[in-house]
Amino acid sequence: MNSKLVTVNSLVDIVKEQKKKQHNIILAGGCFDFFHPGHLDYLREAKLLNGVVIVGVNSDQSFTKVKGKPPLFTFMDRVSILSALEYVDYVVKIDEFNLADMIEKIKPNYFVKGIDYKGKLIPEHRTAHIVGTKVLCIGKRKRFSSTELKNTLKY
């Protein structure tokens, strides 16, 4: 099993310990099916918030609900890619449609979304506001799209 992959229950304990040490908790999330430079920019900027970066990754079932098709890469393949990055401290499986429940459970300092969400309705925004989590849209301008890249390859 991958050392960065943790259960939700383990993550709650990890976050408590990190908060005791006054570390920022940064929650990022996504499907990460076709990893590209835009994802890398997003996670690099998350790490620049000087804290512990936790990445919620949609399970294969959740991915299919969100995208309407199964992922190209399995959940464990996507976890392996993310875990190899120095910007990522922990990875957790997300079975829900969005990260609102995770925000409520761990109450991160920051919830980050890609720059392509700037000016758009973010479903987790209300929950984040209630628990005191700051929502940020980060990364460079949208240059890549996993969906568009897969369509180009006739996925």
Side-chain angles (χ1 to χ4, degrees), residues 3-147:
S3 62
K4 290 187 180 181
L5 179 61
V6 295
T7 65
V8 174
N9 290 336
S10 300
L11 185 60
V12 169
D13 293 335
I14 290 165
V15 166
K16 282 181 190 172
E17 287 303 310
Q18 294 297 325
K19 284 184 176 183
K20 283 181 191 174
K21 297 175 184 175
Q22 307 272 317
H23 293 163
N24 281 328
I25 304 300
I26 301 125
L27 179 61
C31 292
F32 299 100
D33 189 34
F34 203 83
F35 197 84
H36 56 70
H39 291 134
L40 191 61
D41 292 343
Y42 165 62
L43 295 170
R44 181 185 302 119
E45 285 200 31
K47 193 63 175 177
L48 290 175
L49 293 168
N50 295 319
V52 176
V53 175
I54 300 161
V55 180
V57 179
N58 292 81
S59 67
D60 294 339
Q61 295 78 13
S62 174
F63 181 103
T64 302
K65 285 180 199 167
V66 170
K67 299 289 187 177
K69 335 172 129 172
L72 181 62
F73 297 103
T74 68
F75 171 76
M76 287 308 299
D77 290 337
R78 292 178 281 135
V79 167
S80 293
I81 292 166
L82 290 163
S83 295
L85 301 174
E86 63 183 301
Y87 313 119
V88 175
D89 295 295
Y90 298 100
V91 179
V92 63
K93 183 189 263 188
I94 303 299
D95 287 314
E96 295 81 25
F97 193 74
N98 64 49
L99 288 162
D101 288 344
M102 184 64 61
I103 291 169
E104 195 169 343
K105 285 178 182 147
I106 68 169
K107 298 171 182 61
N109 301 88
Y110 300 100
F111 174 58
V112 296
K113 297 290 281 180
I115 197 70
D116 52 313
Y117 282 88
K118 192 170 189 142
K120 294 182 182 175
L121 177 65
I122 296 172
E124 299 89 348
H125 194 271
R126 186 175 190 281
T127 302
H129 179 73
I130 290 168
V131 302
T133 296
K134 187 171 183 172
V135 178
L136 301 174
C137 293
I138 62 172
K140 294 185 169 41
R141 69 177 174 79
K142 183 84 173 178
R143 298 179 298 146
F144 301 94
S145 161
S146 295
T147 302

